[in-house]
Amino acid sequence: QDPTAAHYMFQDDPFLMPRNAANARLYSLSKEAGRNAAKYIIKQFPQYFDKTFAEPNVPCLMPETLTPEIEGVSEEALKERIHLRRVKDSVDLFDQLVQAGTPVSLETTNSLLDLLCFYGDGEFTLEKQEEQKEDLEEPGVNASEQKARKRQSQRGSQSSDSRWRENNNAERIFKIMPERNAHSYCTMIRGMVKHGASAKAYDMYIDMLNERHKADVHTFNALIAAVPYLKERFLERWELAKVFLNHMAQQEVQPNLLTFNALLKTLRRCGGVGRSMSLSVIKEMEALDIEPSLATYDHLLSIFYRGVDLCSSGIILEVLDDVEKRSFIPQDPDDGMDFNCCDLKDIKLAYRLNKAMEKGDNWKFLDMDQLNAYWSKFFSLLCMMEQIDVVLKWYKEMSPSVFYPTPKNILDLLQALDAANHLEVIPSVWEDMKQLGFSRRNDLLEELLSLMSRERHPDEIQLAFAKCAEDIKAFHEQSGREQAPLEWTGSALGHVALLFSRVGRTQDAWYVMMERFQQINRIPTDQVMDEFFACAKQTNCPDEAIKLVKLAASLGLPSSQRLKSRTEKEFELSEKQR
């Protein structure tokens, strides 16, 4: 892998290669937006894409047919519209069949309920096609064959702004069904949970039990995941979860991986009860010979390592022992490698996690934002805990091919260089800062200038530092309509003047002292004055020293008399100069 190259998803063109994390996100979203725009055009204007020019024709590469072919009011036409995911057309056609007195089979009605509950009674869109999907088909589908999906947030779709409308089409059709089977109830329960109506889902489950129907494993999984929204107290949540588990045993429903993951996800929101019961859940998984997924480990770590309260539990060591041995496949929407080893400030754990992430396709469980956040934390930990040679090696290999450093990463790197006394690397870091678009961040500029001007270095390094100072000065002085001008600070001006003085650039140093200091109503420090005087002496410019004395006197500085004495003593002055 070329460490200087961008991610493979971007065009191999300098103009289209992102410079920083913000550009990478913008370009990747733009690429996806282009795909969605193409899908939209094909969906809205299918008549322009009905000819096949490919020889031979590869159906999987051709646009999907989304135009209904069966006309009239019939059950076959309804099935076709359900298959094409035309929500509104399917409901309208179902209502026409009912009004005409045409019976609709239970299987077709259940398929319509599946469609309505999946999309929340809303029309199918490209965005909904890409969102996280739950399997609403018959039980027995192998979850490991599902595609990797973006992890849902902690609250997911259970927001206070519920998307399940009162008396929507799904509820209306369910009520008028002449007969209902277990599939009908299971679909309604899962749809209500998916779209935030957990209380209604629980009531529907009670009705289902009263009708002597049995729920499938997917329905129990949804109900267990909804427990935190049904009960307030931690112990009550655990008791309700146990009720569902007991019902599974009574109905002889075999739990699967998603059942235990839903239970652990619920225990994440059960405080101390979750910590006391989670290990029992893991042991039960082992007894049933169910292998954990990444979501299992993520829930377990979140239970024991919550927020800033990172206790010294050995759970994470056991988790890494298991994760290092396996290459994972997607089995749960919550699967991800977003562990918190870097937050624990343990470099050995971080290395182990990094090794596990690079095994097989494990890295695919993190999207671009998560990858950049992971590598950012990992690099900051390296800067804090590792030797500088190791830090620089990782830095050269990771940026920009693996991640784009954040301003905090650059600050951590500068502090690591300072601690290891490797300040000669600063000019190359400055070039990276310009590439990353951090050349206008005052906090980074102050730290950079402070490190470069703190002490003298060999001439070659001082020249490189002066070049950096010249660039920084140019960034402060450039003006444009798109960017607000950078404001000088007294310390930054002092650092720039020092760097210019140390390489004999007296004119540039004097410009900074005379023009810029007065512009912001600041006074040069004694160190800046002394460095400028030393520069004037080194270049044998008594006129510059005299101007310095006059400046100090005009500002009323205590050092003016001392500078005057040094000028008379260390320079050969003419009568006029005296």
Side-chain angles (χ1 to χ4, degrees):
Q1 184 181 11
D2 181 6
T4 64
H7 194 279
Y8 68 88
M9 76 163 62
F10 302 110
Q11 298 291 333
D12 190 12
D13 185 304
F15 184 75
L16 297 175
M17 282 187 182
R19 296 184 309 151
N20 49 44
N23 286 151
R25 177 176 175 78
L26 176 64
Y27 292 174
S28 60
L29 290 176
S30 299
K31 194 172 182 179
E32 188 63 28
R35 290 196 187 99
N36 287 337
K39 291 177 184 177
Y40 174 81
I41 294 297
I42 291 172
K43 181 176 181 291
Q44 294 297 113
F45 307 101
Q47 66 272 21
Y48 299 123
F49 302 92
D50 57 354
K51 293 184 173 60
T52 303
F53 297 101
E55 292 288 344
N57 180 32
V58 183
C60 65
L61 299 180
M62 297 302 294
E64 187 179 358
T65 302
L66 299 175
T67 305
E69 297 179 356
I70 302 177
E71 301 293 338
V73 180
S74 65
E75 186 170 339
E76 291 301 318
L78 175 59
K79 288 181 180 179
E80 182 188 40
R81 280 153 182 79
I82 292 173
H83 176 72
L84 295 175
R85 290 171 288 182
R86 290 177 171 262
V87 180
K88 186 175 183 304
D89 292 347
S90 300
V91 172
D92 292 342
L93 192 53
F94 177 84
D95 290 339
Q96 292 176 30
L97 288 169
V98 171
Q99 291 171 5
T102 306
V104 181
S105 67
L106 178 61
E107 180 183 357
T108 302
T109 308
N110 282 340
S111 297
L112 179 58
L113 284 180
D114 289 343
L115 182 70
L116 293 172
C117 290
F118 184 82
Y119 289 111
D121 203 25
E123 191 62 46
F124 159 70
T125 62
L126 290 172
E127 290 77 10
K128 288 185 178 180
Q129 183 184 20
E130 299 297 332
E131 73 179 4
Q132 294 84 0
K133 298 178 181 178
E134 296 179 12
D135 180 32
L136 288 176
E137 299 176 356
E138 293 292 335
V141 177
N142 185 359
S144 65
E145 295 177 358
Q146 299 176 17
K147 294 183 179 180
R149 295 164 293 197
K150 189 175 180 181
R151 302 179 65 199
Q152 296 177 346
S153 62
Q154 289 296 316
R155 295 193 65 87
S157 59
Q158 301 276 0
S159 62
S160 57
D161 185 16
S162 175
R163 290 178 290 162
W164 186 269
R165 293 185 296 105
E166 190 74 24
N167 296 321
N168 58 20
N169 285 320
E171 288 188 12
R172 178 176 63 82
I173 291 173
F174 180 82
K175 290 176 182 178
I176 65 174
M177 289 175 67
E179 62 173 316
R180 311 179 187 98
N181 60 7
H183 185 110
S184 311
Y185 282 97
C186 290
T187 293
M188 290 295 292
I189 292 170
R190 294 168 64 193
M192 289 172 175
V193 172
K194 175 181 172 69
H195 298 292
S198 300
K200 280 196 167 192
Y202 183 71
D203 293 339
M204 182 68 68
Y205 174 68
I206 299 300
D207 293 342
M208 180 181 181
L209 293 180
N210 293 334
E211 294 293 330
R212 301 188 181 280
H213 292 299
K214 293 183 179 180
D216 58 19
V217 65
H218 307 293
T219 304
F220 278 115
N221 295 349
L223 288 169
I224 291 171
V227 165
Y229 311 102
L230 295 171
K231 298 294 182 181
E232 291 294 329
R233 303 181 58 154
F234 294 158
L235 191 58
E236 291 176 349
R237 291 175 179 176
W238 170 241
E239 292 297 330
L240 181 58
K242 283 200 300 184
V243 168
F244 290 136
L245 294 174
N246 290 332
H247 287 184
M248 291 182 72
Q250 293 168 8
Q251 299 177 28
E252 298 181 351
V253 177
Q254 185 72 14
N256 59 14
L257 171 66
L258 297 180
T259 307
F260 289 101
N261 284 354
L263 185 57
L264 288 172
K265 191 172 183 179
T266 294
L267 289 176
R268 287 174 70 161
R269 305 184 62 180
C270 290
V273 177
R275 279 188 287 275
S276 62
M277 301 308 303
S278 56
L279 295 182
S280 301
V281 175
I282 298 297
K283 290 178 181 178
E284 186 68 20
M285 290 181 69
E286 294 174 356
L288 293 174
D289 199 23
I290 296 176
E291 275 198 339
S293 72
L294 284 172
T296 312
Y297 297 125
D298 182 52
H299 297 324
L300 190 62
L301 291 177
S302 294
I303 291 170
F304 284 92
Y305 299 87
R306 183 177 297 277
V308 296
D309 183 22
L310 302 176
C311 56
S312 56
S313 170
I315 296 294
I316 195 165
L317 296 174
E318 298 180 30
V319 168
L320 284 177
D321 287 339
D322 290 342
V323 171
E324 284 177 329
K325 301 172 186 175
R326 297 174 55 192
S327 178
F328 291 87
I329 56 175
Q331 300 181 78
D332 188 305
D334 288 329
D335 278 344
M337 292 287 292
D338 193 17
F339 299 161
N340 57 0
C341 295
C342 296
D343 294 334
L344 294 174
K345 303 296 185 289
D346 190 323
I347 191 67
K348 292 182 180 179
L349 286 180
Y351 276 132
R352 290 182 62 186
L353 176 61
N354 191 64
K355 182 180 178 182
M357 192 187 71
E358 292 180 342
K359 183 173 183 178
D361 290 335
N362 289 350
W363 61 274
K364 292 183 179 179
F365 286 94
L366 295 177
D367 61 25
M368 174 166 286
D369 289 340
Q370 291 171 329
L371 270 174
N372 213 57
Y374 164 77
W375 284 113
S376 177
K377 289 182 179 180
F378 181 70
F379 183 71
S380 291
L381 187 61
L382 287 174
C383 293
M384 185 188 307
M385 310 291 287
E386 271 289 8
Q387 300 292 328
I388 192 62
D389 293 337
V390 177
V391 173
L392 293 175
K393 177 178 178 293
W394 278 97
Y395 179 71
K396 290 175 182 177
E397 291 178 354
M398 292 193 304
S399 175
S401 60
V402 176
F403 90 118
Y404 296 94
T406 64
K408 183 181 184 305
N409 292 143
I410 297 297
L411 196 60
D412 291 337
L413 178 59
L414 290 175
Q415 291 171 353
L417 292 173
D418 180 26
N421 198 24
H422 269 56
L423 300 183
E424 69 277 1
V425 184
I426 285 181
S428 65
V429 176
W430 167 243
E431 292 300 321
D432 292 340
M433 286 173 58
K434 292 192 291 185
Q435 181 72 17
L436 292 165
F438 299 156
S439 55
R440 297 176 61 84
R441 290 190 63 98
N442 280 322
D443 54 341
L444 293 181
L445 296 181
E446 288 281 353
E447 182 71 16
L448 195 77
L449 289 170
S450 173
L451 293 177
M452 291 191 297
S453 63
R454 192 172 56 196
E455 55 190 26
R456 280 185 173 273
H457 297 271
D459 292 344
E460 184 179 354
I461 298 176
Q462 284 296 158
L463 287 170
F465 285 176
K467 179 67 170 63
C468 295
E470 184 179 4
D471 289 344
I472 293 172
K473 175 173 168 287
F475 276 112
H476 276 82
E477 293 181 349
Q478 71 181 10
S479 59
R481 294 181 178 178
E482 298 180 357
Q483 292 180 327
L486 272 175
E487 293 187 5
W488 281 108
T489 62
S491 57
L493 281 175
H495 298 322
V496 171
L498 282 174
L499 293 169
F500 283 154
S501 299
R502 286 172 182 169
V503 294
R505 295 174 59 171
T506 53
Q507 294 300 321
D508 291 328
W510 179 253
Y511 170 79
V512 171
M513 292 175 59
M514 193 64 189
E515 298 290 336
R516 294 306 175 193
F517 270 107
Q518 291 184 6
Q519 183 180 356
I520 64 170
N521 296 320
R522 294 292 186 274
I523 297 174
T525 63
D526 288 346
Q527 184 187 10
V528 175
M529 294 285 196
D530 291 340
E531 286 286 354
F532 185 82
F533 187 88
C535 175
K537 181 181 177 182
Q538 182 182 357
T539 56
N540 195 23
C541 296
D543 290 338
E544 302 297 334
I546 293 171
K547 287 196 294 185
L548 180 65
V549 172
K550 290 180 178 179
L551 176 62
S554 65
L555 295 174
L557 298 180
S559 59
S560 59
Q561 192 61 39
R562 177 173 55 83
L563 292 172
K564 178 182 178 182
S565 301
R566 287 187 62 186
T567 303
E568 293 174 346
K569 181 179 178 181
E570 298 179 21
F571 288 94
E572 294 181 4
L573 304 176
S574 64
E575 289 297 326
K576 183 178 179 181
Q577 289 172 330
R578 288 180 184 275

